[in-house]
Amino acid sequence: MVSCKDTAIDEPENLIQEDKMVNIIYDLALLEGVKTFNSSNFQSVKSNDFVYKKYKIDSLQFAKSTQFYASDINRYKKMYEEVGKRIEAKKAHLDSLNGKKAKNLITPQKTTQNTPVIE
C-alpha cells in the first residue's frame, strides 16, 4: 500500500503562499478574460509576464507552486472557488455601476433653467 505522504508532491523551497497564489490566479483569470473579450487591444499583453513582475516571482516558482497546490485537489478546488467568488463579486459590482450609468443616461436631470438634460 502507498500512503498519502508517498504520493504527495513535496513542498517547493520557494512556495508561493496560498493567499498570494489565489491573488495570482485571480489576476491571470481577469487578464485572460479581458484579452478574450477585447482581443484586438490586448494581444500584446503577456499575462504571465505581467503577473510575474507584479508579484516578483518567476515562471519556475509559479509552476512548482501550481504543481504543489494541484496535488491536493480539495485545497486547489477551494482556491479556485475563492477566485470564482471574487470574479462574481467584481462582476456584480461592475453590473451595478453599469446600471447606475444607464439609469443616469435616461433619467432627466434639472438644470438651473429647469430644462431637463439627458446625459
Side-chain angles (χ1 to χ4, degrees):
M1 294 199 63
V2 177
S3 72
C4 291
K5 178 66 179 154
D6 293 335
T7 60
I9 295 174
D10 291 332
E11 183 177 312
E13 186 177 312
N14 58 352
L15 177 69
I16 299 168
Q17 294 301 309
E18 188 171 332
D19 59 336
K20 185 175 181 179
M21 191 70 173
V22 169
N23 290 337
I24 291 168
I25 295 167
Y26 173 78
D27 283 354
L28 285 171
L30 288 182
L31 287 168
E32 290 302 315
V34 167
K35 283 173 62 174
T36 300
F37 184 72
N38 192 352
S39 61
S40 62
N41 294 335
F42 293 96
Q43 282 306 312
S44 63
V45 174
K46 306 277 189 224
S47 302
N48 286 11
D49 292 343
F50 176 81
V51 168
Y52 298 156
K53 188 174 185 176
K54 177 180 177 181
Y55 290 98
K56 297 176 176 71
I57 61 172
D58 59 44
S59 60
L60 183 60
Q61 182 182 12
F62 178 70
K64 285 185 175 186
S65 295
T66 298
Q67 184 180 29
F68 173 77
Y69 288 119
S71 71
D72 180 347
I73 194 67
N74 291 324
R75 184 179 193 181
Y76 203 50
K77 181 180 176 188
K78 286 179 185 175
M79 291 170 69
Y80 270 87
E81 287 170 349
E82 175 63 27
V83 170
K85 287 177 190 175
R86 288 176 61 183
I87 289 171
E88 286 300 317
K90 178 63 81 176
K91 181 184 179 304
H93 175 72
L94 292 173
D95 287 348
S96 74
L97 293 176
N98 284 335
K100 287 178 186 175
K101 185 176 180 180
K103 184 178 178 183
N104 287 339
L105 288 173
I106 60 173
T107 303
Q109 296 177 350
K110 300 280 183 180
T111 65
T112 55
Q113 301 169 352
N114 290 333
T115 313
V117 175
I118 298 179
E119 296 179 344

